[in-house]
Amino acid sequence: MGIETEAFLINTWYVAAWDHELAGGKLVARTLLEKPVLLYRGDSGRVVALDNRCCHRGAKLSNGRREGDDVRCMYHGLKFDPTGKCIQIPGQDNIPKNLGVRSYPVLERDHLVWIWMGEPALADPAKILDFPYLRDPAWRGRPDYMHYKANYLLIVDNLADFAHLAFVHTKTLGGSEEYAYKSKPTAVERLEDGFRVERWHTGADAPPFHRKVVPQAGKVDRRNIARMYVPGIFFMETLFSPAGAGAREGNLEGAKQYRNCQFFTPETRRSTHFFWDYLHDYELDNPAIAASLRDSMVEGFMEDKFIIEGQQEVLDADPDFKMNAIVADAPLAHFRRTLGKMIAEEKATASIQETAHA
């Protein structure tokens, strides 16, 4: 285990919530990178992210009351504006100039609420990864959320390896154990910000989740193109084409396609917020398709969750346990090395800056 399991990449955008979670002006408490954060949408429509601790006595602001775009602590009544500045202390006219709580840069895009937990001056919106299918009317999905009692990198490891589909998801997402033996990556790219893996499985039975929404699907040629980004964002393009129809040569007639987006935000070093959507490009006027796919994904994710949370229990019980690599681990090993290097560089830069200001 390296630095990537014990520290977080700070100066990057993480998903904090889906926009619908903030509906009705609700005060949402969420631990992000081991920091307590309050999220809410003000009357103006602005999304606010503040340290979820009143600077007076440490009471949770999420147990307080939203007032317009502001929030009031309901312990002693201190009121804070969206920047975190204290603007009212009941019974006290003088408000110390620097009294307040930390605010975090937040930005809404494609129904996602992104947060920057690092240095605010570095929070460049252009660094938010774009997944156009979330806003494209030619695609339909159902946004969802799941919580894992495990380090987020164990989830990244799981998604980096298609071979597990055959065994963990035999009757759900994989289809059969044959997938592990007969499908091999046709392209593995080690990139500066993650990796890309393309994998074909031809002339195979369609997996159960696809047959549920396309009952007439017989033998198919299946392609998965996975792209994993540091620190934990996963996009995958999936295609099912009638077997032998020429999909590998570019003939997509009769093909059905899916787009999978998953965002992993560390809650702690041993727990993770998991935001996801699984979109399809056919029968968009039939809501049962998205509902069925959502249920199938949850079924598959619960299979992963059982394995991954068990891993975390084993690692917690014996921190000296050493994992041994196999060929299928190449993408995840590259990802961990890349992330560890970025975290180490970030820490070195912060240390230099602290020394310069000392």
Side-chain angles (χ1 to χ4, degrees), residues 5-125:
T5 62
E6 294 302 322
F8 305 118
L9 191 65
I10 302 298
N11 288 311
T12 190
W13 291 98
Y14 289 93
V15 172
W18 286 106
D19 59 0
H20 68 260
E21 296 183 87
L22 307 183
K26 182 167 57 175
L27 298 178
V28 175
R30 185 153 280 166
T31 298
L32 305 171
L33 280 61
E34 301 186 341
K35 302 289 186 182
V37 177
L38 166 66
L39 299 161
Y40 66 91
R41 186 186 302 280
D43 283 350
S44 70
R46 174 181 181 177
V47 174
V48 179
L50 301 175
D51 183 19
N52 193 21
R53 296 172 292 194
C54 179
C55 56
H56 175 217
R57 306 299 293 176
K60 289 185 176 181
L61 292 179
S62 57
N63 292 334
R65 182 174 70 205
R66 187 181 61 83
E67 299 180 4
D69 281 7
D70 308 322
V71 63
R72 186 182 298 277
C73 177
M74 295 303 287
Y75 191 10
H76 298 94
L78 277 70
K79 184 177 181 179
F80 302 90
D81 70 11
T83 70
K85 178 179 174 56
C86 181
I87 57 175
Q88 187 178 69
I89 304 175
Q92 179 176 325
D93 294 332
N94 177 46
I95 301 175
K97 182 179 179 180
N98 295 322
L99 188 68
V101 299
R102 180 178 178 179
S103 66
Y104 296 93
V106 285
L107 191 147
E108 281 188 89
R109 185 172 294 173
D110 301 330
H111 303 292
L112 291 163
V113 177
W114 296 84
I115 189 167
W116 185 276
M117 302 292 290
E119 177 60 43
L122 301 177
D124 181 359

Side-chain angles (χ1 to χ4, degrees), residues 34-249:
E34 301 186 341
K35 302 289 186 182
V37 177
L38 166 66
L39 299 161
Y40 66 91
R41 186 186 302 280
D43 283 350
S44 70
R46 174 181 181 177
V47 174
V48 179
L50 301 175
D51 183 19
N52 193 21
R53 296 172 292 194
C54 179
C55 56
H56 175 217
R57 306 299 293 176
K60 289 185 176 181
L61 292 179
S62 57
N63 292 334
R65 182 174 70 205
R66 187 181 61 83
E67 299 180 4
D69 281 7
D70 308 322
V71 63
R72 186 182 298 277
C73 177
M74 295 303 287
Y75 191 10
H76 298 94
L78 277 70
K79 184 177 181 179
F80 302 90
D81 70 11
T83 70
K85 178 179 174 56
C86 181
I87 57 175
Q88 187 178 69
I89 304 175
Q92 179 176 325
D93 294 332
N94 177 46
I95 301 175
K97 182 179 179 180
N98 295 322
L99 188 68
V101 299
R102 180 178 178 179
S103 66
Y104 296 93
V106 285
L107 191 147
E108 281 188 89
R109 185 172 294 173
D110 301 330
H111 303 292
L112 291 163
V113 177
W114 296 84
I115 189 167
W116 185 276
M117 302 292 290
E119 177 60 43
L122 301 177
D124 181 359
K127 294 181 179 179
I128 293 178
L129 290 176
D130 186 40
F131 195 64
Y133 306 103
L134 283 170
R135 61 179 178 273
D136 188 339
W139 296 84
R140 179 171 184 167
R142 283 187 60 175
D144 215 326
Y145 168 88
M146 186 176 288
H147 183 267
Y148 276 75
K149 294 179 180 179
N151 184 284
Y152 75 109
L153 289 177
L154 294 179
I155 309 174
V156 172
D157 290 350
N158 171 270
L159 288 164
D161 164 32
F162 287 130
H164 86 277
L165 287 171
F167 299 99
V168 180
H169 307 302
T170 304
K171 298 180 179 179
T172 54
L173 308 181
S176 72
E177 290 190 10
E178 176 191 67
Y179 186 77
Y181 294 97
K182 292 191 175 182
S183 69
K184 292 181 172 59
T186 57
V188 176
E189 298 178 56
R190 296 168 176 82
L191 306 170
E192 292 183 356
D193 59 355
F195 63 81
R196 178 187 182 276
V197 177
E198 180 175 347
R199 194 173 188 125
W200 279 91
H201 187 201
T202 58
D205 292 329
F209 84 93
H210 183 63
R211 290 201 306 270
K212 286 180 181 179
V213 291
V214 186
Q216 70 275 20
K219 296 288 185 179
V220 296
D221 291 340
R222 177 183 189 176
R223 183 194 68 191
N224 285 324
I225 300 175
R227 181 70 167 91
M228 184 73 77
Y229 295 86
V230 170
I233 296 175
F234 179 75
F235 297 151
M236 184 166 73
E237 301 179 8
T238 297
L239 176 147
F240 291 103
S241 175
R248 294 191 73 162
E249 291 72 44

